[in-house]
Amino acid sequence: MPKQHIVLLLFLGAGLMTAVPPAGAQPNQVKQALKQTEKRAVKAAQKTAVAQQEAFEKILLNRAVSSWEKRQKQPSVSFEPTPPDKLATFIFPLNEVQKRRAKQYYYEAMRQFAELKKDLDIHLFYIQTQKDDLLPAQLAALDTRIFKVEEKLARAALVFHDGPLNEARNYLLDARQVLNPFSPAQTLQPPSYLRREDRTFVKKEFFLYGKDNSRPRLKSSRWLGSFRDVSRAKALAAHIPAHMRIAFINDRTYIGGALMSWYRKGLFPEGTDLFVYFRLQDIQRDLAAGKTFDLIITDLVMKDGGGYALVSELRQNNSTTTVIALSAYGEDEVRARELYDLGFDGMLSTHDGGFPVDATGCLTLLNGLKNYYFWKELHGWKR
């Protein structure tokens, strides 16, 4: 007989001995007394099972922490989930339905880990190579996400003895060691320069959607030199403020070159001054020298640093410059809220097909900026 059933029977037996109905009680009273006793016994058994599970998870985590140095010396590890036909080692005996559900839970947990790992790799790269400490809001957001994924992986580990699953849990333990959050996310209050009192977060506005809920991406008719595409670009530029100083940061030279080509063709708003940077250090040097911009469009991840570091520096210096992220990340609301809290004012996603250097890229960029300034004027944003 399974251990859980034995525990439940013991509790039921104890409850029946202590809750015997009085002599002469009516059948309904007896039935009600037995039902209450059963409820108390089930609750007690559930509480005991949860305590045993938590204790087992704690043992697993303690073992992982104690072997941290040994894991650091391993040359390489794999985080690829084990194929379903080989995922067959169970700690507890399960029937076919329970096995199928357990496998579904396992693959969902590993999928969430893979998504989290992409973001953690970026942050760990900045910390280890650029010596760039994360801001409190970033630490809080990451700590919350790590905790949720750790919990799912720990529950999956109660069922499966699996190498990739263990490596995923070990990776999160190592990441937490490096990040070293200084306060629980539930009690953390972001500093004043990260409190967005200027506007509220709305997903479609942050991703530069139009007032008709249309995405900013526009397709070219044929090529940039066509009369129709040029006229469409100029029509879009007419809705963007004139005489602005715009900085564009991207370490891919062909993207910066395409922007300069559009600028020379007169496709930007009237009187625009465009500055293209291929390294974060170059714009940081100009900002330190006193150069100002009305709008900055920046890639999030670059070899020598990217938008995360730049927007952190700007907001700590109380800069009100509008900063738009240009990134291959998809339109994920969790990431968008994190970028919003850090001080980004919008994001143009190039997830579908990258950033085109033909007329499609020009029209998409101008359309996204047009939508941003529409929402800004409508809501009265300061930046």
Side-chain angles (χ1 to χ4, degrees):
M1 180 180 293
K3 185 176 180 181
Q4 296 92 328
H5 293 176
I6 297 175
V7 173
L8 180 59
L9 289 175
L10 290 174
F11 276 113
L12 284 171
L16 290 172
M17 292 176 64
T18 57
V20 177
Q26 298 298 320
N28 289 339
Q29 293 177 329
V30 174
K31 187 176 181 180
Q32 185 176 5
L34 291 174
K35 186 178 293 186
Q36 292 177 353
T37 301
E38 182 180 356
K39 286 182 178 180
R40 288 196 297 267
V42 170
K43 287 182 179 180
Q46 290 175 342
K47 186 176 180 181
T48 301
V50 170
Q52 291 175 345
Q53 178 175 324
E54 290 178 349
F56 186 68
E57 291 181 2
K58 190 173 181 180
I59 291 173
L60 292 177
L61 290 174
N62 288 338
R63 288 176 180 174
V65 172
S66 64
S67 61
W68 182 79
E69 291 184 356
K70 181 179 179 180
R71 287 187 278 104
Q72 290 299 102
K73 298 178 182 179
Q74 294 178 355
S76 62
V77 295
S78 172
F79 300 104
E80 290 295 326
T82 301
D85 58 332
K86 296 183 179 179
L87 191 64
T89 303
F90 297 91
I91 299 177
F92 303 113
L94 303 177
N95 58 38
E96 291 303 318
V97 175
Q98 291 172 325
K99 288 180 180 180
R100 185 167 61 252
R101 290 178 179 175
K103 288 183 178 181
Q104 291 174 348
Y105 189 90
Y106 165 83
Y107 288 112
E108 175 62 19
M110 293 298 286
R111 184 191 66 80
Q112 293 185 14
F113 164 76
E115 293 179 355
L116 174 60
K117 184 178 181 297
K118 291 180 181 179
D119 291 342
L120 286 176
D121 284 343
I122 294 172
H123 292 302
L124 294 174
F125 169 81
Y126 279 125
I127 292 174
Q128 293 173 339
T129 63
Q130 306 298 321
K131 307 302 181 183
D132 183 20
D133 293 335
L134 294 179
L135 293 173
Q138 287 178 289
L139 286 174
L142 283 175
D143 192 42
T144 301
R145 293 178 64 191
I146 290 174
F147 173 78
K148 291 180 179 179
V149 177
E150 276 183 332
E151 185 178 28
K152 292 187 74 72
L153 295 177
R155 291 185 181 278
L158 290 174
V159 179
F160 299 101
H161 284 302
D162 181 65
L165 175 62
N166 292 334
E167 294 299 342
R169 300 182 67 201
N170 294 339
Y171 173 89
L172 293 183
L173 287 171
D174 293 343
R176 192 183 290 279
Q177 290 279 342
V178 178
L179 294 173
N180 190 24
F182 56 86
S183 179
Q186 294 80 358
T187 61
L188 181 64
Q189 293 295 327
S192 59
Y193 59 83
L194 288 178
R195 295 173 190 162
R196 297 299 298 268
E197 299 175 354
D198 57 317
R199 56 182 280 196
T200 56
F201 176 84
V202 178
K203 182 179 178 180
K204 70 175 184 178
E205 296 174 358
F206 189 81
F207 285 116
L208 309 182
Y209 277 46
K211 59 181 178 180
D212 58 350
N213 292 326
S214 60
R215 297 184 64 184
R217 188 178 182 88
L218 296 178
K219 293 184 178 180
S220 65
S221 53
R222 289 185 65 188
W223 54 80
L224 186 60
S226 69
F227 175 79
R228 183 161 183 257
D229 285 338
V230 170
S231 61
R232 291 170 68 194
K234 290 185 176 180
L236 292 170
H239 294 277
I240 303 171
H243 304 285
M244 286 201 304
R245 295 167 61 86
I246 301 177
F248 184 85
I249 313 164
N250 199 295
D251 57 357
R252 293 176 175 83
T253 55
Y254 68 90
I255 294 180
L259 224 73
M260 291 299 299
S261 175
W262 304 335
Y263 177 72
R264 287 192 294 266
K265 292 178 182 293
L267 302 183
F268 278 72
E270 180 183 357
T272 295
D273 288 330
L274 179 66
F275 302 84
V276 176
Y277 295 92
F278 300 104
R279 299 193 311 166
L280 179 64
Q281 289 86 341
D282 294 337
I283 188 174
Q284 288 176 322
R285 183 185 63 248
D286 285 353
L287 288 170
K291 184 176 288 188
T292 59
F293 303 98
D294 301 295
L295 169 66
I296 296 177
I297 305 170
T298 177
D299 194 2
L300 285 178
V301 182
M302 297 171 61
K303 294 179 181 178
D304 58 349
Y308 288 105
L310 177 62
V311 79
S312 300
E313 181 180 324
L314 289 171
R315 300 316 179 209
Q316 290 185 67
N317 293 329
N318 297 315
S319 172
T320 57
T321 301
T322 300
V323 182
I324 303 293
L326 180 69
S327 175
Y329 283 125
E331 296 178 358
D332 178 73
E333 185 169 351
V334 174
R335 180 180 293 108
R337 286 184 176 274
E338 179 183 355
L339 295 174
Y340 166 83
D341 289 336
L342 290 174
F344 283 92
D345 300 299
M347 174 178 167
L348 186 62
S349 174
T350 62
H351 182 67
D352 298 330
F355 186 73
V357 295
D358 59 2
T360 295
C362 178
L363 294 172
T364 299
L365 176 62
L366 293 175
N367 190 38
L369 293 179
K370 183 206 74 170
N371 293 339
Y372 169 77
Y373 285 104
F374 167 79
W375 295 119
K376 180 181 179 180
E377 182 179 359
L378 179 66
H379 300 303
W381 295 338
K382 296 179 182 178
R383 69 171 197 259

mmCIF file of all heavy atoms in Angstrom, residues 324-347:
data_model
loop_
_atom_site.group_PDB
_atom_site.id
_atom_site.type_symbol
_atom_site.label_atom_id
_atom_site.label_comp_id
_atom_site.label_asym_id
_atom_site.label_seq_id
_atom_site.Cartn_x
_atom_site.Cartn_y
_atom_site.Cartn_z
ATOM 1 N N ILE A 324 14.056 54.805 -27.592
ATOM 2 C CA ILE A 324 13.311 53.710 -28.218
ATOM 3 C C ILE A 324 14.260 52.537 -28.438
ATOM 4 O O ILE A 324 15.355 52.710 -28.962
ATOM 5 C CB ILE A 324 12.709 54.143 -29.570
ATOM 6 C CG1 ILE A 324 11.810 55.365 -29.397
ATOM 7 C CG2 ILE A 324 11.946 52.991 -30.215
ATOM 8 C CD1 ILE A 324 10.559 55.114 -28.600
ATOM 9 N N ALA A 325 13.836 51.343 -28.019
ATOM 10 C CA ALA A 325 14.644 50.142 -28.228
ATOM 11 C C ALA A 325 14.341 49.550 -29.602
ATOM 12 O O ALA A 325 13.178 49.455 -30.006
ATOM 13 C CB ALA A 325 14.355 49.110 -27.143
ATOM 14 N N LEU A 326 15.395 49.167 -30.305
ATOM 15 C CA LEU A 326 15.276 48.447 -31.577
ATOM 16 C C LEU A 326 15.896 47.078 -31.354
ATOM 17 O O LEU A 326 17.110 46.960 -31.148
ATOM 18 C CB LEU A 326 16.008 49.195 -32.686
ATOM 19 C CG LEU A 326 15.975 48.556 -34.078
ATOM 20 C CD1 LEU A 326 14.567 48.630 -34.653
ATOM 21 C CD2 LEU A 326 16.963 49.242 -35.013
ATOM 22 N N SER A 327 15.079 46.019 -31.358
ATOM 23 C CA SER A 327 15.594 44.718 -30.945
ATOM 24 C C SER A 327 14.907 43.589 -31.688
ATOM 25 O O SER A 327 13.758 43.713 -32.120
ATOM 26 C CB SER A 327 15.387 44.532 -29.435
ATOM 27 O OG SER A 327 15.780 43.240 -29.024
ATOM 28 N N ALA A 328 15.630 42.474 -31.816
ATOM 29 C CA ALA A 328 15.076 41.270 -32.436
ATOM 30 C C ALA A 328 14.212 40.467 -31.472
ATOM 31 O O ALA A 328 13.646 39.447 -31.853
ATOM 32 C CB ALA A 328 16.203 40.391 -32.964
ATOM 33 N N TYR A 329 14.106 40.898 -30.207
ATOM 34 C CA TYR A 329 13.208 40.224 -29.277
ATOM 35 C C TYR A 329 11.768 40.353 -29.751
ATOM 36 O O TYR A 329 11.378 41.351 -30.365
ATOM 37 C CB TYR A 329 13.320 40.829 -27.876
ATOM 38 C CG TYR A 329 14.541 40.412 -27.103
ATOM 39 C CD1 TYR A 329 15.412 41.361 -26.585
ATOM 40 C CD2 TYR A 329 14.813 39.078 -26.868
ATOM 41 C CE1 TYR A 329 16.536 40.988 -25.872
ATOM 42 C CE2 TYR A 329 15.926 38.689 -26.149
ATOM 43 C CZ TYR A 329 16.780 39.650 -25.655
ATOM 44 O OH TYR A 329 17.888 39.264 -24.945
ATOM 45 N N GLY A 330 10.958 39.365 -29.425
ATOM 46 C CA GLY A 330 9.547 39.431 -29.761
ATOM 47 C C GLY A 330 8.791 40.337 -28.813
ATOM 48 O O GLY A 330 9.362 40.926 -27.880
ATOM 49 N N GLU A 331 7.502 40.452 -29.037
ATOM 50 C CA GLU A 331 6.674 41.368 -28.252
ATOM 51 C C GLU A 331 6.185 40.671 -26.978
ATOM 52 O O GLU A 331 5.005 40.365 -26.828
ATOM 53 C CB GLU A 331 5.516 41.877 -29.102
ATOM 54 C CG GLU A 331 5.989 42.717 -30.284
ATOM 55 C CD GLU A 331 4.846 43.193 -31.161
ATOM 56 O OE1 GLU A 331 3.684 42.835 -30.872
ATOM 57 O OE2 GLU A 331 5.108 43.928 -32.130
ATOM 58 N N ASP A 332 7.114 40.425 -26.071
ATOM 59 C CA ASP A 332 6.818 39.765 -24.805
ATOM 60 C C ASP A 332 6.488 40.830 -23.761
ATOM 61 O O ASP A 332 7.271 41.743 -23.526
ATOM 62 C CB ASP A 332 8.016 38.933 -24.354
ATOM 63 C CG ASP A 332 7.767 38.276 -23.013
ATOM 64 O OD1 ASP A 332 6.988 37.316 -22.955
ATOM 65 O OD2 ASP A 332 8.339 38.746 -22.009
ATOM 66 N N GLU A 333 5.343 40.691 -23.112
ATOM 67 C CA GLU A 333 4.890 41.736 -22.185
ATOM 68 C C GLU A 333 5.758 41.810 -20.934
ATOM 69 O O GLU A 333 5.989 42.895 -20.399
ATOM 70 C CB GLU A 333 3.432 41.495 -21.794
ATOM 71 C CG GLU A 333 2.862 42.620 -20.928
ATOM 72 C CD GLU A 333 1.360 42.526 -20.757
ATOM 73 O OE1 GLU A 333 0.726 41.698 -21.448
ATOM 74 O OE2 GLU A 333 0.819 43.292 -19.932
ATOM 75 N N VAL A 334 6.256 40.663 -20.444
ATOM 76 C CA VAL A 334 7.109 40.675 -19.253
ATOM 77 C C VAL A 334 8.379 41.481 -19.523
ATOM 78 O O VAL A 334 8.774 42.341 -18.728
ATOM 79 C CB VAL A 334 7.466 39.241 -18.815
ATOM 80 C CG1 VAL A 334 8.477 39.264 -17.676
ATOM 81 C CG2 VAL A 334 6.213 38.491 -18.398
ATOM 82 N N ARG A 335 9.026 41.213 -20.651
ATOM 83 C CA ARG A 335 10.238 41.956 -21.004
ATOM 84 C C ARG A 335 9.910 43.432 -21.247
ATOM 85 O O ARG A 335 10.672 44.325 -20.869
ATOM 86 C CB ARG A 335 10.889 41.346 -22.241
ATOM 87 C CG ARG A 335 12.161 42.083 -22.666
ATOM 88 C CD ARG A 335 12.791 41.464 -23.895
ATOM 89 N NE ARG A 335 13.317 40.137 -23.618
ATOM 90 C CZ ARG A 335 12.783 39.022 -24.052
ATOM 91 N NH1 ARG A 335 11.681 39.059 -24.794
ATOM 92 N NH2 ARG A 335 13.306 37.854 -23.770
ATOM 93 N N ALA A 336 8.767 43.690 -21.878
ATOM 94 C CA ALA A 336 8.384 45.075 -22.160
ATOM 95 C C ALA A 336 8.204 45.869 -20.871
ATOM 96 O O ALA A 336 8.635 47.021 -20.782
ATOM 97 C CB ALA A 336 7.102 45.103 -22.983
ATOM 98 N N ARG A 337 7.593 45.260 -19.879
ATOM 99 C CA ARG A 337 7.407 45.966 -18.600
ATOM 100 C C ARG A 337 8.748 46.227 -17.919
ATOM 101 O O ARG A 337 8.923 47.260 -17.274
ATOM 102 C CB ARG A 337 6.485 45.148 -17.682
ATOM 103 C CG ARG A 337 5.024 45.199 -18.091
ATOM 104 C CD ARG A 337 4.145 44.468 -17.101
ATOM 105 N NE ARG A 337 2.741 44.578 -17.430
ATOM 106 C CZ ARG A 337 1.952 45.580 -17.062
ATOM 107 N NH1 ARG A 337 2.451 46.563 -16.335
ATOM 108 N NH2 ARG A 337 0.689 45.603 -17.396
ATOM 109 N N GLU A 338 9.671 45.282 -18.052
ATOM 110 C CA GLU A 338 10.996 45.491 -17.472
ATOM 111 C C GLU A 338 11.699 46.662 -18.169
ATOM 112 O O GLU A 338 12.289 47.533 -17.511
ATOM 113 C CB GLU A 338 11.832 44.223 -17.598
ATOM 114 C CG GLU A 338 13.242 44.365 -17.029
ATOM 115 C CD GLU A 338 14.083 43.126 -17.231
ATOM 116 O OE1 GLU A 338 13.547 42.117 -17.719
ATOM 117 O OE2 GLU A 338 15.285 43.169 -16.913
ATOM 118 N N LEU A 339 11.635 46.702 -19.504
ATOM 119 C CA LEU A 339 12.241 47.806 -20.244
ATOM 120 C C LEU A 339 11.570 49.127 -19.889
ATOM 121 O O LEU A 339 12.234 50.163 -19.755
ATOM 122 C CB LEU A 339 12.127 47.549 -21.753
ATOM 123 C CG LEU A 339 12.908 46.352 -22.302
ATOM 124 C CD1 LEU A 339 12.587 46.141 -23.775
ATOM 125 C CD2 LEU A 339 14.409 46.540 -22.113
ATOM 126 N N TYR A 340 10.257 49.093 -19.742
ATOM 127 C CA TYR A 340 9.507 50.287 -19.356
ATOM 128 C C TYR A 340 9.968 50.800 -17.990
ATOM 129 O O TYR A 340 10.203 51.999 -17.804
ATOM 130 C CB TYR A 340 8.017 49.952 -19.349
ATOM 131 C CG TYR A 340 7.129 50.965 -18.668
ATOM 132 C CD1 TYR A 340 6.685 52.098 -19.333
ATOM 133 C CD2 TYR A 340 6.715 50.765 -17.354
ATOM 134 C CE1 TYR A 340 5.858 53.017 -18.702
ATOM 135 C CE2 TYR A 340 5.887 51.674 -16.712
ATOM 136 C CZ TYR A 340 5.463 52.796 -17.392
ATOM 137 O OH TYR A 340 4.653 53.704 -16.754
ATOM 138 N N ASP A 341 10.107 49.886 -17.027
ATOM 139 C CA ASP A 341 10.543 50.277 -15.687
ATOM 140 C C ASP A 341 11.966 50.827 -15.695
ATOM 141 O O ASP A 341 12.301 51.704 -14.889
ATOM 142 C CB ASP A 341 10.462 49.089 -14.728
ATOM 143 C CG ASP A 341 9.027 48.715 -14.391
ATOM 144 O OD1 ASP A 341 8.153 49.590 -14.495
ATOM 145 O OD2 ASP A 341 8.778 47.547 -14.046
ATOM 146 N N LEU A 342 12.800 50.333 -16.585
ATOM 147 C CA LEU A 342 14.181 50.805 -16.657
ATOM 148 C C LEU A 342 14.291 52.189 -17.285
ATOM 149 O O LEU A 342 15.294 52.875 -17.090
ATOM 150 C CB LEU A 342 15.037 49.823 -17.453
ATOM 151 C CG LEU A 342 15.310 48.478 -16.791
ATOM 152 C CD1 LEU A 342 16.052 47.569 -17.755
ATOM 153 C CD2 LEU A 342 16.121 48.665 -15.516
ATOM 154 N N GLY A 343 13.271 52.598 -18.028
ATOM 155 C CA GLY A 343 13.291 53.934 -18.604
ATOM 156 C C GLY A 343 13.147 54.008 -20.107
ATOM 157 O O GLY A 343 13.226 55.097 -20.685
ATOM 158 N N PHE A 344 12.908 52.872 -20.770
ATOM 159 C CA PHE A 344 12.645 52.910 -22.210
ATOM 160 C C PHE A 344 11.239 53.457 -22.453
ATOM 161 O O PHE A 344 10.317 53.204 -21.680
ATOM 162 C CB PHE A 344 12.772 51.519 -22.827
ATOM 163 C CG PHE A 344 14.188 51.063 -23.032
ATOM 164 C CD1 PHE A 344 14.840 50.328 -22.057
ATOM 165 C CD2 PHE A 344 14.870 51.385 -24.197
ATOM 166 C CE1 PHE A 344 16.151 49.902 -22.236
ATOM 167 C CE2 PHE A 344 16.181 50.977 -24.387
ATOM 168 C CZ PHE A 344 16.825 50.244 -23.406
ATOM 169 N N ASP A 345 11.086 54.171 -23.553
ATOM 170 C CA ASP A 345 9.795 54.777 -23.877
ATOM 171 C C ASP A 345 9.043 54.025 -24.960
ATOM 172 O O ASP A 345 7.908 54.371 -25.277
ATOM 173 C CB ASP A 345 10.005 56.229 -24.310
ATOM 174 C CG ASP A 345 10.658 57.050 -23.206
ATOM 175 O OD1 ASP A 345 10.050 57.169 -22.123
ATOM 176 O OD2 ASP A 345 11.770 57.549 -23.413
ATOM 177 N N GLY A 346 9.649 53.030 -25.539
ATOM 178 C CA GLY A 346 8.999 52.234 -26.563
ATOM 179 C C GLY A 346 9.973 51.215 -27.106
ATOM 180 O O GLY A 346 11.173 51.261 -26.829
ATOM 181 N N MET A 347 9.443 50.278 -27.894
ATOM 182 C CA MET A 347 10.293 49.246 -28.490
ATOM 183 C C MET A 347 9.764 48.897 -29.868
ATOM 184 O O MET A 347 8.567 48.647 -30.045
ATOM 185 C CB MET A 347 10.333 48.002 -27.608
ATOM 186 C CG MET A 347 11.085 46.830 -28.236
ATOM 187 S SD MET A 347 11.166 45.405 -27.125
ATOM 188 C CE MET A 347 11.711 44.124 -28.267
#
